[in-house]
Amino acid sequence: RLPEEKRRGIPIELGFAEVVVGEYRFGIVDVPAHKRFVRNMLAGATGMDLALLVISAGESIKQQTREHLDILRMLRLTGGVVALTKCDLAEPDWIEMVEEEIRELVAGSCFEGAPILRTSTVTGEGIEELKQALLAAAEKCRLEQSDEAPFRMAIDRTFSIAGHGTVVTGSVAGGRAAVGDELVVQPGGKVVRIRGLQNHDRTVEEVHRGQRAAINLAGLHYEESARGEELASPGYLEPTRRLTVQLRMLPSAPRPLRQRARIRLHVGTAEVMATVALLGTDRLPPGECCLAQLFLSEPVVATWNQPFVARAESPVMTIGGGRVLHPSARRI
């Protein structure tokens, strides 16, 4: 889509599409696979209920595949499907070996026991089977909608359209919102009003949990909003610069996390630097878990039990994650 993406031949930013299978409309967020754009992948994975893990039959499992899977573990997704692509370019014996490697890789994740679909966009092999596998996965994680839940949407894009003004997009994480509703942009507390709504280029009167939404806002200049902020019902979210969390290190982390270490915290679509205060210990070894407080360089919004991902300051890599226990914590 972007000139730089076309020049490099790889996606850099998030892509969006929709596919209808049976009674379900899947809102697809295509995230970049390259290891340099994992931060964009994290923003796109926010609010997802299912994941489609895409692996090339010819290239097999790459390092970024492992990191993406670690991130999905930390985000606690409950279901998924594996698509093995470009199968027209690989020998059957090689494909069988790659499938065995995938089964070992996904053990203990939301993909354990998930179907591995051999596909090819050239021959059409496996495409219908892939749709049916997505349908079956959606049936298993059917969501209950609540009209009482507050509205919440993490912003992953913001732009301006001539004659309409500011538009923000994201995946609706909770509640419903309709044209005319007042919402608040956090952090910042800016009150805005919904002028118009779209779901995958269709004009709609309301959006709800599980949908992609493009929201035309009155009362906000597009330069006043950015990825990492959230739209929410008034009074629902409060900015904070201190979180009490349950923090777990990945077994693959290269070294223990030490007291007062600095990390890159990813929560919602936000990325901020944080200083870690470990509680009850001075170091957290790989694979271990403890309580901690995170002191943030900038305000974020979060709710109880919300998952987050932790990445090392340098070299940048995913080292752990966890869940928020207290979003407006006092210093311990």
Side-chain angles (χ1 to χ4, degrees), residues 4-62:
E4 184 67 10
E5 291 177 322
K6 293 176 180 178
R7 187 182 72 80
R8 294 185 181 210
I10 59 172
I12 296 172
E13 264 298 347
L14 304 176
F16 308 96
E18 181 186 52
V19 62
V20 179
V21 184
E23 63 178 291
Y24 289 94
R25 289 184 178 272
F26 290 90
I28 298 173
V29 181
D30 175 38
V31 302
H34 196 281
K35 61 184 179 181
R36 290 181 58 188
F37 306 118
V38 170
R39 60 188 297 183
N40 293 347
M41 176 269 175
L42 275 155
T46 295
M48 294 294 100
D49 302 301
L50 293 173
L52 176 61
L53 185 64
V54 181
I55 298 174
S56 166
E59 297 180 354
S60 189
I61 297 165
K62 305 182 75 172

Side-chain angles (χ1 to χ4, degrees), residues 186-188 228-229 238-242 267 270-273 296-302:
Q186 294 284 20
E229 296 178 331
E238 294 293 335
T240 181
R241 293 184 64 167
R242 187 183 302 125
V267 56
E271 177 190 11
V272 299
M273 297 304 300
L296 314 182
S297 61
E298 302 172 35
V300 301
V301 289

